[in-house]
Amino acid sequence: MFSGFRVGARNDSYLCSIILKYNNMKISRIEHLGIAVQSIEEALPYFENVLGLKCYAVEEVADQKVKTAFLKCGEVKLELLEPTSPDSTIQKWLDKGNHGVHHVAFCIEDGVAEALAECEGKGLRLIDKAPRKGAENLNIAFLHPKSTCGILTELCEQ
Ligand code: CMX
């Protein structure tokens, strides 16, 4: 016979484990990989002339202090990120000796705002509390790498 939940540490952790397993977010694919480079002009020949990928758009995202170049690789895009200012987060990341893949962006089917609320409810650290406009006019939001296995994670939708 069902006796109801008793208040106590055991039931709290049981409930917590149910909530953590509950997953509403639908990821359809990897939208793009963000790759930090010091210079798009110097990096492009590798991607175009060696890998044979085509750059189809170059766009500056002023509020992020980056210039972006997009290449298609099947249904996944590569987003080259060049800092446009010494205080760009990309420049700071490069200055620390990092280079290469900077973030992974997932395409969310049913809304970035809902996905953010779900992530926050599960205790993840959000960088963006609400979706904002990113390159290619996508609605985007970042999750902090400290709560995503060390991978700077971008959620996006068309
Ligand atoms: N991947 C994994 N870890 C990263 C990281 C990355 N790309 N960038 C920073 N970190 C880690 C650092 O290593 C550091 O870890 P430790 O504390 O162990 O050293 C920690 O996060 C804090 O990093 P920080 O150097 O002190 O930098 P900040 O806290 O100032 O900023 C972050 C880090 C992630 C919050 C910031 O870079 C950010 O807001 N990123 C999201 C926006 C962005 O990247 N925009 C550029 C792309 C634009 C676009 O695609 O449109």
Side-chain angles (χ1 to χ4, degrees):
M1 189 174 71
F2 178 70
S3 58
F5 285 113
R6 278 182 300 133
V7 177
R10 192 160 159 263
N11 282 330
D12 283 354
S13 65
Y14 175 64
L15 277 176
C16 196
S17 73
I18 292 174
I19 291 164
L20 280 173
K21 279 178 196 157
Y22 180 73
N23 170 263
N24 217 14
M25 194 193 310
K26 299 272 180 301
I27 291 177
S28 52
R29 61 189 166 88
I30 290 180
E31 212 284 331
H32 66 264
L33 297 177
I35 297 171
V37 297
Q38 197 60 67
S39 157
I40 286 175
E41 193 186 348
E42 285 172 23
L44 264 184
Y46 166 66
F47 291 94
E48 293 199 304
N49 303 341
V50 179
L51 299 184
L53 305 174
K54 266 266 148 289
C55 173
Y56 66 88
V58 174
E59 180 186 341
E60 189 164 336
V61 185
D63 69 324
Q64 293 294 298
K65 299 179 179 164
V66 290
K67 187 163 106 179
T68 62
F70 282 94
L71 305 100
K72 270 237 161 150
C73 180
E75 67 165 13
V76 177
K77 299 171 195 161
L78 301 185
E79 179 189 39
L80 304 187
L81 296 155
E82 175 189 304
T84 54
S85 156
D87 62 343
S88 158
T89 56
I90 297 297
Q91 187 62 61
K92 287 197 229 160
W93 193 72
L94 291 168
D95 287 346
K96 286 188 175 172
N98 303 299
H99 52 270
V101 176
H102 174 260
H103 66 264
V104 178
F106 294 103
C107 200
I108 307 291
E109 274 184 5
D110 38 6
V112 170
E114 292 79 359
L116 276 180
E118 186 175 336
C119 290
E120 189 166 37
K122 289 179 175 176
L124 270 70
R125 195 164 145 196
L126 311 184
I127 293 175
D128 299 296
K129 298 274 178 206
R132 59 183 168 82
K133 286 290 176 195
E136 299 198 305
N137 207 33
L138 297 180
N139 289 326
I140 64 154
F142 279 92
L143 306 177
H144 200 283
K146 288 289 171 200
S147 54
T148 55
C149 300
I151 303 158
L152 178 58
T153 300
E154 182 179 347
L155 308 178
C156 41
E157 67 184 332
Q158 299 288 340

